[in-house]
Amino acid sequence: MEANENPDPRSLTDAKSSEVPRRALGERRTEFVRIIVQCLYSLGYRRAAATLEAESGVSLDSPEYTALFFDVMAGRWDDCIATIESIEDMDCGARAAAAFLVWREHFLELLGLKDGFLMARDVLSERIAPLDMDRQRVHGLARLLISSEGIVNVEDRVRRRLGLLLDLVEVLPPWVRVPSARLEHLVEMTVLKQIASCFYHNSPGEVTLYEDHKCSQEQIPSKCSQILYDHKNEVWFVQFSHNGDYLASSSRDCTAIIWAVNKDDSISLKHVLEGHMKPISFLAWSPNDRMLLTCGNVEALKLWDVCDGTCKFTFTGGANRIISSCAWFPESEKIVCGSWEPDNRIFACDLEGNELEVWEGERMPKVTDLAVTPDGRCLISICSNKEILIRDFHRGNEWKIHEEHSITSLSLSSDGQFLIVNLNSEEIHLWSINVSSSLPDKFRGHKQGKYVIRSCFGGSNSLFVASGSEDSQIYIWQRHRETPIKILTGHSMTVNCVSWNPAKPHMLASASDDRTVRIWMANVNNNTKFHM
């Protein structure tokens, strides 16, 4: 090779790899080129798009669309109909809809002419009325003969005819005119499908287009990075704040602890909350993360200031009422509580204990757990152990989901679209809140028969479900798989509750009867920290 014969680096591709797309495309080559041309035009690379059209011999616009464009803009309506009739792969409904659009435009333009009334009437009776269309639409046009509303003046014709072209594209087969942003849509669907099929996808970052997407198991929290020993008895509940900056835990030792999540992902003690006389079975962060509710087991509900760790208020509900569960409304100004002694009751109140709304009566079932969707639209309650009651405040209606086995706990996805419930049948069921379904997604593998075990959504876009277990292990499922993808070992007794950090998808916390809280990390070294 002579010195001036420099090879083009773009031509140095493997011959075998260049043949693969040709064989794979086959008869779709023309479609592929048209989609690329459409993308180049939309990106502003007009010369590149025109060059590709010239070199490939494939035009962006089909001959049918080109004919329609010029005929519509020139008002040659019979020619438009002839082109529509020539398109072979249209069903009768689409063909009638396209013809209706054309003749409607002609009808409205005729009404805009001083002497067009009779011609418009003829178009309506001879062209539009015979079409197999909704008669209400035809009657609506007939009323315009009297009211003259919606007529098209001469100065509006160009804008209206361009609009007609856009409307026609919506009813014609997609090959007539490549849909807008078609290549971008195909790429996006491919990326989403690869993410959905990736068992371990847990990265909020962008997915590259340069290679097929596949995550390793290292994306899932599986290494214990820290063990917290500060509780003096069984730890029953653990939950990260919404911003991920704090972790709260509660224990049979009658205390709750607020922990700080540091920038290096370590956990440090912030406040020990003392004041309950009985074990604390439940915690709830306010949506703004400035307050924390603690619910004592067969005892009062307390409100704490996260900043200084002081108790701001104790809710009793009156009549020595025992509050069994609680949840926040999204504005962080009121809460909802469930109680079953001295009677079954759900009530909403402000932060000074003033009742705002009450649901009670002889038919009111026992409420064991409840939650409010992040938008405040729905209140979800676990009733009579085997029913999920969903009350939609906006629509003013409610409905029930029935389970065959006893429900021990409830958890919502971060977007409020889904819920999961733990059952004592050793299953976790996932239900859609807004879509009616008779069958839930199911997750199996963990052990649960005697105790309250709590699960949670977590990871990037809440793609995972995690749960404690009576066999001292933590189970993690990908939302589209029934069997676990990870089982974490380390605790020595029942794991009662787990919580996934909503701001750090690589961090998970677990609470156990072994009196510890463990922090689990993805992609961390093997050093384990102990907080004494």
Side-chain angles (χ1 to χ4, degrees):
M1 180 182 293
E2 297 184 6
N4 61 350
E5 294 180 351
N6 295 322
D8 185 348
R10 291 171 295 183
S11 67
L12 299 180
T13 56
D14 181 42
K16 182 180 291 186
S17 66
S18 66
E19 287 298 319
V20 172
R22 292 183 184 179
R23 292 197 303 269
L25 287 173
E27 297 180 357
R28 292 193 177 92
R29 176 182 173 275
T30 298
E31 297 178 17
F32 189 62
V33 173
R34 290 182 68 194
I35 289 173
I36 293 176
V37 171
Q38 193 270 344
C39 181
L40 289 172
Y41 275 121
S42 68
L43 292 173
Y45 303 129
R46 305 188 67 82
R47 284 187 295 176
T51 300
L52 178 57
E53 287 182 288
E55 186 173 343
S56 65
V58 177
S59 297
L60 169 61
D61 295 329
S62 66
E64 289 81 358
Y65 179 79
T66 300
L68 276 175
F69 177 85
F70 287 108
D71 290 337
V72 166
M73 297 310 294
R76 295 191 289 265
W77 310 114
D78 287 315
D79 291 340
C80 291
I81 297 299
T83 299
I84 292 172
E85 292 294 332
S86 70
I87 299 174
E88 296 180 354
D89 55 345
M90 287 184 70
D91 59 46
C92 295
R95 200 182 304 276
F100 176 82
L101 292 172
V102 171
W103 292 125
R104 182 184 66 178
E105 181 63 25
H106 184 30
F107 170 80
L108 295 174
E109 289 188 13
L110 287 173
L111 284 181
L113 301 176
K114 291 183 178 179
D115 55 352
F117 178 84
L118 294 178
M119 290 184 288
R121 186 188 62 184
D122 292 341
V123 169
L124 180 63
S125 61
E126 298 175 9
R127 303 291 194 176
I128 297 177
L131 295 174
D132 184 17
M133 293 295 296
D134 180 7
R135 305 320 294 171
Q136 292 296 326
R137 302 182 71 179
V138 178
H139 295 161
L141 293 179
R143 286 192 290 271
L144 298 182
L145 291 171
I146 301 174
S147 66
S148 298
E149 295 180 3
I151 62 175
V152 178
N153 297 318
V154 175
E155 57 269 20
D156 291 332
R157 281 185 179 177
V158 172
R159 178 182 61 82
R160 288 278 309 185
R161 291 176 179 180
L162 288 173
L164 170 60
L165 277 169
L166 295 176
D167 291 340
L168 285 172
V169 166
E170 294 297 320
V171 297
L172 295 175
W175 61 263
V176 175
R177 173 72 169 175
V178 178
S180 178
R182 181 59 182 166
L183 182 58
E184 292 91 328
H185 175 74
L186 290 173
V187 170
E188 181 70 12
M189 290 299 99
T190 301
V191 169
L192 291 176
K193 185 175 181 179
Q194 289 193 4
I195 290 175
S197 63
C198 177
F199 295 155
Y200 307 108
H201 181 75
N202 191 30
S203 174
E206 293 294 327
V207 176
T208 180
L209 300 181
Y210 294 124
E211 61 181 355
D212 289 343
H213 176 72
K214 185 177 182 180
C215 294
S216 70
Q217 295 186 36
E218 298 302 315
Q219 294 276 357
I220 306 301
S222 56
K223 301 290 185 181
C224 181
S225 66
Q226 195 168 353
I227 304 175
L228 309 177
Y229 286 99
D230 293 71
H231 284 294
K232 302 301 185 284
N233 210 322
E234 298 170 356
V235 188
W236 287 354
F237 201 94
V238 65
Q239 189 176 73
F240 282 103
S241 60
H242 300 90
N243 58 18
D245 291 340
Y246 300 104
L247 174 69
S249 59
S250 68
S251 169
R252 190 175 180 179
D253 65 10
C254 306
T255 70
I257 297 178
I258 297 177
W259 311 84
V261 180
N262 303 313
K263 291 183 178 180
D264 64 354
D265 291 335
S266 64
I267 307 295
S268 58
L269 191 147
K270 182 176 177 66
H271 299 298
V272 177
L273 310 181
E274 298 177 315
H276 281 281
M277 303 304 294
K278 294 186 178 182
I280 302 174
S281 58
F282 191 83
L283 298 167
W285 287 94
S286 64
N288 60 17
D289 292 324
R290 297 174 185 173
M291 293 167 285
L292 181 71
L293 287 171
T294 58
C295 188
N297 189 27
V298 194
E299 198 200 2
L301 179 71
K302 291 183 179 292
L303 177 67
W304 304 84
D305 186 293
V306 173
C307 182
D308 58 21
T310 59
C311 182
K312 300 180 66 174
F313 193 80
T314 298
F315 300 85
T316 62
N320 297 318
R321 192 170 302 282
I322 295 174
I323 298 173
S324 59
S325 54
C326 60
W328 289 85
F329 283 94
E331 66 275 6
S332 296
E333 295 178 354
K334 64 178 181 177
I335 62 173
V336 59
C337 303
S339 67
W340 46 268
E341 283 191 20
D343 53 7
N344 298 331
R345 197 168 188 257
I346 297 177
F347 60 96
C349 62
D350 61 23
L351 301 187
E352 295 180 351
N354 300 309
E355 291 188 355
L356 306 174
E357 194 168 0
V358 177
W359 298 273
E360 59 184 348
E362 294 182 359
R363 299 181 62 185
M364 186 70 189
K366 178 181 178 179
V367 176
T368 58
D369 205 350
L370 49 77
V372 177
T373 54
D375 59 4
R377 179 166 184 163
C378 292
L379 170 64
I380 303 166
S381 311
I382 303 302
C383 302
S384 303
N385 294 328
K386 295 184 180 181
E387 290 182 343
I388 306 168
L389 174 63
I390 303 175
R391 179 178 285 108
D392 190 320
F393 294 121
H394 291 196
R395 297 179 179 175
N397 64 339
E398 62 182 39
W399 62 98
K400 292 181 180 180
I401 298 173
H402 297 273
E403 291 281 8
E404 294 183 3
H405 299 276
S406 294
I407 303 169
T408 65
S409 63
L410 162 71
S411 182
L412 299 185
S413 60
S414 58
D415 60 7
Q417 299 297 309
F418 300 92
L419 64 86
I420 49 177
V421 289
N422 280 61
L423 308 176
N424 65 1
S425 60
E426 298 189 337
E427 287 188 349
I428 297 171
H429 289 182
L430 184 153
W431 296 91
S432 173
I433 295 175
N434 297 315
V435 178
S436 177
S437 174
S438 58
L439 294 175
D441 292 332
K442 298 179 181 181
F443 307 98
R444 298 184 174 97
H446 67 300
K447 304 299 180 184
Q448 181 180 2
K450 298 187 296 182
Y451 305 120
V452 174
I453 302 295
R454 298 185 184 275
S455 58
C456 70
F457 289 94
S460 179
N461 295 322
S462 297
L463 288 174
F464 302 93
V465 171
S467 178
S469 176
E470 291 177 9
D471 62 3
S472 76
Q473 300 185 114
I474 299 160
Y475 290 76
I476 298 176
W477 297 264
Q478 206 262 6
R479 278 177 56 173
H480 303 292
R481 284 176 61 89
E482 183 176 304
T483 57
I485 61 171
K486 273 285 186 180
I487 301 175
L488 312 184
T489 60
H491 284 290
S492 59
M493 297 180 71
T494 295
V495 179
N496 300 304
C497 184
V498 293
S499 180
W500 214 305
N501 192 318
K504 296 185 175 185
H506 57 276
M507 179 182 288
L508 179 75
S510 58
S512 171
D513 281 352
D514 64 11
R515 304 186 178 190
T516 69
V517 174
R518 285 181 176 248
I519 306 301
W520 306 84
M521 299 293 295
N523 295 323
V524 296
N525 56 38
N526 292 324
N527 295 329
T528 301
K529 304 174 184 177
F530 299 87
H531 190 282
M532 304 300 293

